[in-house]
Amino acid sequence: MGLKSAWLVVVFLFLGVAVAKNVNRLNVWPMPKWVSRGHNRVYMSLDFQLVTDGSKYIDGSGILKDGFTRMLDVVKVAHVVDGDLSSVDKSLIIKGIHVLIFSPDDQLQYGVAESYKLLVPSPEMPDYVHLEAQTVYGALHGLQTFSQLCHFNFTTRLIEVHMVPWTIIDQPRFSYRGLLIDTSRHYQPVPMIKKVIDSMAYAKLNVLHWHIVDTQSFPLEIPSYPKLWDGAYSVSERYTFSDAAEIVSYAQRRGINVLAELDIPGHALSWGHGYPSLWPSKDCQQPLDVSNEFTFKVIDGILSDFSKVFKFKFVHLGGDEVNTSCWTRTPHIKKWLKEHRMNGSQAYQYFVLRAQKIALSHGFEIVNWEETFNDFGNKLSRKTVVHNWLGGGVAEQVVASGLRCIVSNQDKWYLDHLDTPWEEFYKNEPLTNITNPKQQSLVLGGEVCMWGERVDGSDIEQTIWPRAAAAAERLWTPYDNLAKDPEQVAGRLAHFRCLLNQRGIAAAPLAGLGREAPIEPGSCYVQ
């Protein structure tokens, strides 16, 4: 190692320690991996530009250009930026951002590189910000971070960046950072789903788990079986197949994968409104009829259609809360069980494993809720990801068995539990009691779940935010950079919550429980 390299390492370590001690003074959320800053100020040019000279990514689909435009929009927060730069020292004016992307590929998939490096200003081009990333999706994260460094000055009417020079080196701790929305219990209009996706990008969440259908309604068009959406609440509370494609595309252009869920064999009563033969009987309507070959033909058709729109490598097949009593007391299914020498539990296993094989045949890897692992984990496909929700300790068992896991334990990461405050969301650690590095790598990440029994388009945002942001930092930021006491980050989270409000996202106050209204007049930053 040369003297210059050794000096850089010493500086890196020194600044890293300094940042660790002063993270609460930085109003950036989630906290980056490594940050250094100065004490000066620069101003954004009124015609701030995107420059990509030297980048291997040609941006033929416009993902970077659109991300840059969105960044400018949220930085301006709808203010008219018309200040006079003529009296400002020209060396303090930033003309644009130079983005250097090393990969020409913009395919979005699990595990895509999301790291970035941000320099404000660039040492080589002092009148530009420098952003470099392996992929365009890392660059989008860098733009999000840069947007949080920018401030509209109400006196000068200019956009300023304080505390320059900034150096930020960043990458996520976990590759799966999810949010579940439920469009069966209450329909969510497409514009609201898009707003949720926008807000996810602000917090660097990267998987929208779309719990599309359930017992209550089947709102999605399935071309192979067009009567399935007869199970929608009404003719206007539906998603066309093109709507689904648009949601996937909208998310992808913001670096977010969409995980589609088909919760089977339970939670499927709504299927039978269009195809009654899927019910065990008219009076006993779920789980789906395990004895009927048509059931599996429909599943195959749905997953075939899914494969044309949902490009994420995973599909969620549910498998939770299956009560097999309909099977064991319905005469024709009872006869089938006897012929196949199965009881209800064995039929549940048969159904899940057969559905897994269908999903695999369409190129998907599978996510299942944890009951499948708890009941017959050693029989699951090795391409299964077990989704923990019932409580703690399951993730340890899953990874010890060699399977992968996503953590969503309901006592900490269920957003519909309004009595769970943001502090508990922040403290929930996916790797609790998992110390083996190989087993730790099998924990893909985590997900907060916005179940829809008591939310619709009127209150979904304030039920999600800011508590989901607390989990987002847990999933993004290196463990050693996380606050041991959530109160240490309360001010920074309050700032992020106010930033969401300024960007049109109805995030609730930190004070109180989930979805609380402000308790009295006062500044956003102290609520």
Side-chain angles (χ1 to χ4, degrees):
M1 180 183 295
L3 287 175
K4 183 177 180 182
S5 298
W7 180 82
L8 286 172
V9 169
V10 171
V11 171
F12 186 99
L13 292 173
F14 172 78
L15 288 173
V17 170
V19 168
K21 290 180 179 178
N22 296 290
V23 291
N24 302 323
R25 300 178 188 176
L26 306 177
N27 286 321
V28 176
W29 195 281
M31 178 58 63
K33 181 177 182 179
W34 189 83
V35 180
S36 72
R37 62 181 183 178
H39 304 283
N40 298 316
R41 176 181 307 191
V42 293
Y43 302 84
M44 286 179 63
S45 168
L46 298 181
D47 58 347
F48 194 79
Q49 298 175 344
L50 171 66
V51 176
T52 58
D53 295 349
S55 180
K56 293 183 179 179
Y57 179 67
I58 62 173
D59 199 27
S61 56
I63 293 174
L64 179 62
K65 181 181 178 182
D66 288 352
F68 173 76
T69 300
R70 291 194 303 272
M71 182 272 292
L72 289 181
D73 287 343
V74 298
V75 164
K76 293 175 182 177
V77 288
H79 296 302
V80 176
V81 182
D82 59 357
D84 184 5
L85 281 167
S86 62
S87 60
V88 175
D89 185 334
K90 286 183 170 51
S91 67
L92 300 179
I93 299 174
I94 300 294
K95 296 179 181 178
I97 184 166
H98 180 213
V99 180
L100 196 61
I101 298 173
F102 302 115
S103 172
D105 187 12
D106 59 14
Q107 181 180 5
L108 180 64
Q109 197 46 266
Y110 171 77
V112 70
E114 298 178 89
S115 60
Y116 67 91
K117 181 167 74 172
L118 180 67
L119 305 173
V120 188
S122 166
E124 287 77 24
M125 300 169 62
D127 50 353
Y128 280 83
V129 176
H130 179 82
L131 171 61
E132 64 182 57
Q134 184 63 34
T135 70
V136 66
Y137 302 109
L140 292 180
H141 290 317
L143 291 173
Q144 289 292 350
T145 297
F146 178 66
S147 75
Q148 293 189 43
L149 305 181
C150 299
H151 308 275
F152 178 75
N153 186 315
F154 282 85
T155 301
T156 65
R157 313 290 172 91
L158 296 170
I159 304 295
E160 303 175 351
V161 183
H162 304 162
M163 297 186 292
V164 299
W166 287 92
T167 299
I168 297 177
I169 300 170
D170 203 8
Q171 67 184 60
R173 181 183 176 205
F174 292 101
S175 293
Y176 186 107
R177 307 178 305 281
L179 167 67
L180 176 148
I181 62 169
D182 170 6
T183 59
S184 174
R185 274 55 178 259
H186 281 96
Y187 178 81
Q188 292 290 346
V190 172
M192 180 54 71
I193 294 175
K194 288 182 174 181
K195 281 195 74 180
V196 169
I197 291 168
D198 286 335
S199 63
M200 290 175 66
Y202 299 150
K204 298 186 174 72
L205 294 175
N206 71 343
V207 179
L208 177 70
H209 175 176
W210 189 3
H211 188 87
I212 307 170
V213 304
D214 208 292
T215 296
Q216 290 81 3
S217 74
F218 197 118
L220 179 63
E221 178 185 25
I222 301 295
S224 296
Y225 290 92
K227 293 182 181 179
L228 281 170
W229 72 351
D230 288 359
Y233 285 127
S234 70
V235 293
S236 63
E237 293 171 293
R238 289 173 165 175
Y239 308 101
T240 67
F241 206 54
S242 295
D243 289 338
E246 168 61 19
I247 288 167
V248 170
S249 174
Y250 190 89
Q252 181 259 337
R253 297 180 68 82
R254 288 152 180 78
I256 295 171
N257 281 296
V258 178
L259 172 67
E261 182 176 357
L262 200 64
D263 197 349
I264 51 177
H267 293 276
L269 182 151
S270 61
W271 298 35
H273 293 297
Y275 297 96
S277 65
L278 295 172
W279 288 334
S281 72
K282 185 179 179 181
D283 300 319
C284 205
Q285 298 172 327
Q286 65 182 14
L288 295 168
D289 188 343
V290 67
S291 71
N292 189 347
E293 280 300 305
F294 181 62
T295 297
F296 297 98
K297 283 185 65 177
V298 172
I299 292 169
D300 182 63
I302 295 172
L303 292 176
S304 176
D305 288 346
F306 272 18
S307 70
K308 298 176 178 68
V309 168
F310 297 105
K311 299 303 181 181
F312 198 27
K313 69 185 287 186
F314 300 111
V315 68
H316 205 304
L317 295 181
D320 62 313
E321 299 179 319
V322 178
N323 180 343
T324 61
S325 60
C326 261
W327 292 345
T328 55
R329 69 172 186 256
T330 301
H332 75 274
I333 302 179
K334 189 174 181 180
K335 178 183 177 183
W336 183 89
L337 291 173
K338 184 176 180 181
E339 291 172 354
H340 289 79
R341 298 180 180 179
M342 293 184 196
N343 58 28
S345 297
Q346 292 167 326
Y348 166 47
Q349 174 182 310
Y350 164 82
F351 195 113
V352 168
L353 297 183
R354 187 167 175 185
Q356 285 199 336
K357 289 178 181 177
I358 295 170
L360 290 168
S361 75
H362 290 290
F364 289 114
E365 296 182 33
I366 308 124
V367 184
N368 277 113
W369 293 110
E370 72 172 69
E371 288 96 323
T372 60
F373 174 80
N374 296 339
D375 288 7
F376 44 89
N378 62 335
K379 300 290 180 61
L380 293 171
S381 164
R382 301 309 291 175
K383 290 190 174 182
T384 302
V385 179
V386 178
H387 197 163
N388 158 232
W389 73 279
L390 286 170
V394 175
E396 300 169 60
Q397 300 170 37
V398 170
V399 297
S401 77
L403 293 176
R404 295 165 293 176
C405 188
I406 295 166
V407 174
S408 293
N409 46 312
Q410 63 174 334
D411 56 327
K412 304 292 185 182
W413 275 359
Y414 267 31
L415 291 157
D416 57 310
H417 291 198
L418 299 182
D419 57 349
T420 305
W422 73 265
E423 292 91 342
E424 295 301 313
F425 279 78
Y426 191 90
K427 291 190 295 184
N428 193 42
E429 172 51 48
L431 298 184
T432 297
N433 297 327
I434 303 172
T435 56
N436 180 296
K438 184 176 180 181
Q439 293 181 3
Q440 288 180 339
S441 70
L442 294 175
V443 179
L444 304 188
E447 175 180 294
V448 290
C449 298
M450 184 64 272
W451 294 107
E453 285 88 348
R454 295 179 181 272
V455 298
D456 61 11
S458 70
D459 59 1
I460 186 171
E461 291 181 301
Q462 57 265 51
T463 314
I464 293 173
W465 306 106
R467 293 181 300 158
E473 178 152 298
R474 173 64 56 170
L475 292 167
W476 178 275
T477 301
Y479 180 82
D480 290 341
N481 288 9
L482 293 166
K484 302 304 179 275
D485 178 0
E487 290 306 314
Q488 294 175 328
V489 302
R492 185 162 53 85
L493 181 57
H495 188 279
F496 183 70
R497 175 253 168 172
C498 296
L499 186 69
L500 290 176
N501 284 176
Q502 291 165 9
R503 295 179 178 184
I505 305 300
L510 270 65
L513 303 177
R515 205 162 67 198
E516 289 279 2
I519 57 175
E520 61 185 6
S523 167
C524 175
Y525 298 101
V526 297
Q527 293 174 348

